């Protein structure tokens, strides 16, 4: 059974930082692009970042480029999203997702094969 389990969300002040983790089980990350979507109520889910750990290629949406950094470790089957300079507009539910045999620049253009349960990130003073 495949599971993607997110952790690290919460409440942070504007300008602050959070680090999300996604631990995968039941899949081998060598064959997947793995990363993050986020969703605000009433809006479509947005693919914001992903990585193919085997070659280290990454993708970032314009909305997070320069502020967020994705990394991963195959041995730990885990991906992290370091989020800096957070803004109230970053408030959303963040979902870890995995797409089989996807190149990172195509992130968000194909439905993921697997989803995590989602974790809330709130940026507010």
């Amino acid at each position: 059974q495949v599971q993607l389990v997110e952790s690290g969300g919460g409440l942070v002040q504007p300008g602050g930082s959070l680090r999300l983790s996604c631990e995968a089980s039941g899949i081998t990350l060598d064959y997947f692009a793995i990363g993050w979507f986020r969703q605000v109520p009433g809006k479509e889910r947005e693919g914001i970042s992903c990585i193919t750990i085997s070659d280290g290629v990454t993708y970032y949406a314009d909305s997070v480029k320069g502020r967020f950094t994705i990394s991963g470790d195959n041995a730990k089957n885990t991906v992290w999203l370091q989020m800096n300079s957070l803004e109230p507009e970053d408030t959303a539910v963040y979902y870890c997702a995995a797409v089989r045999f996807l190149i990172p620049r195509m992130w968000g253009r194909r439905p993921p094969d697997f989803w995590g349960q989602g974790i809330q990130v709130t940026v507010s003073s």
Side-chain angles (χ1 to χ4, degrees), residues 45-118:
R45 205 169 283 192
E46 176 192 14
I48 59 169
S49 183
C50 78
I51 186 170
T52 45
I53 297 176
S54 57
D55 57 10
V57 176
T58 59
Y59 162 82
Y60 298 97
D62 287 344
S63 57
V64 305
K65 200 173 294 182
R67 300 187 298 123
F68 292 9
T69 303
I70 193 168
S71 60
D73 186 331
N74 263 340
K76 296 181 179 180
N77 244 29
T78 300
V79 171
W80 298 274
L81 186 69
Q82 178 66 42
M83 306 187 294
N84 297 330
S85 302
L86 284 162
E87 304 165 350
E89 293 73 23
D90 295 314
T91 296
V93 177
Y94 284 70
Y95 296 88
C96 183
V99 184
R100 191 178 282 111
F101 301 131
L102 185 80
I103 55 175
R105 63 181 174 85
M106 300 299 290
W107 189 248
R109 299 191 188 186
R110 228 174 77 195
D113 296 285
F114 304 107
W115 289 99
Q117 79 281 4

Side-chain angles (χ1 to χ4, degrees), residues 3-48:
Q3 282 192 309
L4 302 177
V5 180
E6 302 105 333
S7 61
L11 173 65
V12 64
Q13 292 188 341
S17 298
L18 280 176
R19 190 191 196 204
L20 301 182
S21 298
C22 174
E23 184 172 357
S25 60
I27 57 173
T28 302
L29 293 183
D30 280 345
Y31 306 121
F32 288 82
I34 184 165
W36 301 87
F37 287 71
R38 67 184 182 186
Q39 189 167 27
V40 176
K43 293 191 176 181
E44 286 192 4
R45 205 169 283 192
E46 176 192 14
I48 59 169

